[in-house]
Amino acid sequence: MRQHHRTPRLLGTLLLVAAAGLSVVGAAPAAAARSATPLGQVVPAPASVDAGGSAYRITGGTSIRVDDTREARRVGEYLADILRPSTGYRLPVTSKGGGGIQLRLADSKLGAEGYRLVSGRSGVTITARETAGLFHGVQTLRQLLPAAVEKRSVQPGPWLVAGGTIKDTPRYGYRGAMLDVSRHFFTVGQVKRYIDELALYKVNTLHLHLSDDQGWRIAIDSWPRLATYGGSTQVGGGQGGSYTKAQYKEIVRYASSRYLEVVPEIDMPGHTNAALASYAQLNCDGVAPPLYTGTDVGFSSLCVNKTVTYDFVDDVIRELAALTPGRYLHIGGDEAHSTSHADYVKFMDRVQPIVAKYGKKVIGWHQLTGATPAKGAIAQYWGLDDTSAEEKAQVAKAAQNGTGLVLSPADRLYLDMKYTADTPLGQDWAGLVEVKRSYDWNPGNYLPGAPSSAIRGVEAPLWTETIVTSADIDYMAFPRLPGAAELGWSPASTHDWDTYKVRLAAQGPRWDALGIGYYRSPQVPWPAS
């Protein structure tokens, strides 16, 4: 089949195809025109789309055919769990027979996460080299079905998938979102909910900010007061909370079932008041400060010249690495204003080898480039468009010397920034970040002097000084999160605000069906309620 890169012109063609009507098994062409979502109207934009031919209709006779492997069956059951409540159909998952919906693992050139989706009169087939690709293909299939498919009660349908072929691979291997569970604590169930929302847009990394001045959120057996005392509060003085090791492992397991890798962060040497309050010996003067429930930054620091500091760091990293099957461990490193530059460099020189000792690669906020990043380390850039040229050059030089970069510019991708001055939640220190501003930039050429080959991907952090509930998370993440996901997944050639805002608007009814409350940006042409 012909394959075309999606462009604004192609999207118009797809809309015309849909308007012209498609032939569908068991449905008149007019019904298909009303119901079949155009093949390219998904987020993130697919790498290539070839639209046309008959649509497929899911019926009571449809089955989900999977390869006879545990991994493929798991993806098939995931799909069935989405489709059964709204369609009312049995949709058996089987390794026998053909037709219907097929999930196939095959040796292909689609990479670790790519997939091919082919839809026609007799069925829909998703092919991938790895099960992660099958899972991402299933997310595309969800978006090709009516938004009502997301509801948990029987809906009228019809359940049509437009005809044609999508061939799709990600631009970047790191497509992340960060949730700060330190400023306000979020339960395992709340984190799982966010994981499901991330998975819908092919995000593959969940960065958990597990420690800060206001709370320590993970049990460490060798330093138990970190969680029991350091985790006992949060911003504003609420009761806080922390994860047992079993709970953290459940988050990791659930994320893995959605093909997300968890990156745990223990911020250091600053942002450490919860630890300093828990253990007096971690302070240079041997005096524990009180617990902290405010929102100021930069006032705390581990004692760089004490041996016990590195015993502490070794224990924490050892225990956390043992719980975390992923490749990375984030050591923070930002806003260490109470640590001298010489001490900061000394600290990072001591701590990075500890991460390597326990089999993990270092990620740090981009201030890590002010020291000497370890071989294979990643620096996470959170500066602004108007961050000083000197600071940007420091990061770019590290990238030129082999340090990978994940881009999280605060005035683009920080999901806790207010949309407008009237936004009831969030902050505005990095500026106001409306939906277009969040989407309309290119990670490949964003940081002057940084080679494009150094860019590992993007991440959208959500800091929680003002975020207390899952509804708060939803309101600040949507509709900006899908744009961040598209920046990470889709080819640069597909990047166009005018066509993106139309595809984004079509997500609104899906969020309504999923119970996701979102900011109805006036920049986006949302469908009428």
Side-chain angles (χ1 to χ4, degrees):
M1 268 190 178
R2 301 181 314 279
Q3 298 293 337
H4 307 290
H5 284 295
R6 285 195 66 262
T7 63
R9 181 177 299 174
L10 177 59
L11 181 61
T13 303
L14 295 177
L15 295 171
L16 289 173
V17 168
L22 301 168
S23 61
V24 185
V25 177
R34 284 197 304 271
S35 304
T37 299
L39 207 62
Q41 192 174 298
V42 297
V43 178
S48 66
V49 172
D50 185 19
S54 299
Y56 174 66
R57 180 170 185 167
I58 298 173
T59 69
T62 298
S63 61
I64 299 174
R65 163 82 159 76
V66 299
D67 287 354
D68 193 17
T69 66
R70 184 171 60 183
E71 293 80 7
R73 179 169 290 275
R74 189 182 300 131
V75 177
E77 293 289 358
Y78 168 89
L79 175 59
D81 287 345
I82 291 168
L83 300 181
R84 285 169 180 155
S86 53
T87 64
Y89 302 147
R90 287 182 57 247
L91 300 173
V93 179
T94 176
S95 58
K96 297 180 173 61
I101 300 171
Q102 296 192 59
L103 306 180
R104 296 178 57 245
L105 290 170
D107 189 18
S108 68
K109 297 179 180 179
L110 296 169
E113 296 188 280
Y115 66 93
R116 183 173 63 251
L117 184 152
V118 180
S119 176
R121 182 183 299 272
S122 61
V124 176
T125 300
I126 299 172
T127 305
R129 194 186 82 189
E130 307 285 348
T131 48
L134 289 182
F135 185 82
H136 296 321
V138 162
Q139 305 312 317
T140 295
L141 177 58
R142 286 174 72 176
Q143 291 190 34
L144 292 174
L145 289 164
V149 79
E150 308 291 352
K151 294 191 175 181
R152 307 306 290 174
S153 58
V154 176
Q155 304 296 310
W159 308 108
L160 304 174
V161 183
T165 299
I166 291 174
K167 187 176 180 182
D168 207 6
T169 55
R171 180 181 185 185
Y172 294 116
Y174 189 111
R175 305 178 307 282
M178 187 214 78
L179 183 61
D180 168 18
V181 296
S182 294
R183 270 44 177 269
H184 281 99
F185 180 67
F186 292 90
T187 65
V188 172
Q190 289 175 304
V191 176
K192 286 182 175 180
R193 172 184 166 85
Y194 198 42
I195 288 169
D196 280 330
E197 294 172 354
L198 300 176
L200 180 57
Y201 296 99
K202 304 181 177 70
V203 172
N204 70 351
T205 307
L206 174 64
H207 169 185
L208 283 178
H209 186 77
L210 290 169
S211 70
D212 214 296
D213 293 314
Q214 299 87 352
W216 185 284
R217 306 303 184 201
I218 180 68
I220 301 296
D221 293 341
S222 49
W223 299 76
R225 276 176 57 85
L226 291 171
T228 59
Y229 184 69
S232 66
T233 191
Q234 58 187 9
V235 166
Q239 68 179 2
S242 61
Y243 305 119
T244 65
K245 287 188 170 183
Q247 288 173 327
Y248 175 78
K249 287 169 73 173
E250 174 61 16
I251 290 171
V252 170
R253 184 205 65 77
Y254 193 81
S256 177
S257 77
R258 271 60 175 159
Y259 296 87
L260 277 82
E261 180 177 337
V262 171
V263 175
E265 180 188 356
I266 302 297
D267 207 344
M268 52 181 123
H271 289 276
T272 46
N273 192 81
L276 298 172
S278 301
Y279 288 97
Q281 63 264 45
L282 297 177
N283 297 270
C284 288
D285 62 4
V287 178
L291 293 169
Y292 182 69
T293 61
T295 58
D296 289 340
V297 299
F299 61 87
S300 60
S301 179
L302 293 171
C303 192
V304 172
N305 294 312
K306 275 190 165 184
T307 300
V308 69
T309 295
Y310 303 99
D311 294 337
F312 163 78
V313 171
D314 192 288
D315 286 337
V316 169
I317 289 177
R318 172 177 50 81
E319 293 193 33
L320 191 52
L323 298 172
T324 304
R327 296 163 289 175
Y328 302 109
L329 201 148
H330 203 304
I331 57 173
D334 61 319
E335 297 175 324
H337 304 321
S338 297
T339 313
S340 71
H341 176 68
D343 278 353
Y344 183 88
V345 172
K346 179 191 293 186
F347 181 84
M348 288 303 177
D349 284 349
R350 289 283 300 272
V351 167
Q352 291 183 92
I354 297 173
V355 176
K357 180 170 76 168
Y358 293 111
K360 303 302 178 186
K361 295 181 179 179
V362 167
I363 302 183
W365 298 106
H366 73 261
Q367 284 75 17
L368 177 66
T369 61
T372 304
K375 183 177 181 180
I378 291 176
Q380 185 169 356
Y381 181 79
W382 61 277
L384 316 179
D385 283 7
D386 62 1
T387 289
S388 72
E390 180 182 16
E391 188 171 354
K392 289 179 177 178
Q394 173 183 288
V395 180
K397 183 178 179 181
Q400 293 162 11
N401 290 332
T403 298
L405 299 180
V406 167
L407 299 180
S408 301
D411 55 344
R412 301 283 184 172
L413 287 191
Y414 269 30
L415 300 178
D416 55 303
M417 288 301 113
K418 290 176 177 283
Y419 297 98
T420 70
D422 296 328
T423 305
L425 301 171
Q427 304 189 86
D428 60 6
W429 61 263
L432 303 174
V433 183
E434 251 285 10
V435 180
K436 181 178 181 181
R437 178 169 182 79
S438 185
Y439 173 82
D440 213 8
W441 60 286
N442 180 6
N445 61 15
Y446 176 77
L447 198 62
S452 59
S453 59
I455 310 301
R456 301 290 183 263
V458 297
E459 182 178 291
L462 179 57
W463 302 98
T464 60
E465 285 91 342
T466 68
I467 310 303
V468 181
T469 66
S470 288
D472 294 345
I473 291 174
D474 289 351
Y475 186 78
M476 299 306 283
F478 293 89
R480 291 180 293 197
L481 173 71
E486 177 150 313
L487 287 169
W489 180 279
S490 303
S493 60
T494 67
H495 194 85
D496 178 80
W497 166 253
D498 287 332
T499 55
Y500 171 69
K501 68 183 181 183
V502 174
R503 288 184 289 111
L504 181 64
Q507 298 295 306
R510 190 166 305 275
W511 301 337
D512 291 335
L514 286 166
I516 297 173
Y518 59 97
Y519 165 64
R520 292 181 66 88
S521 169
Q523 297 180 338
V524 179
W526 307 106
S529 298

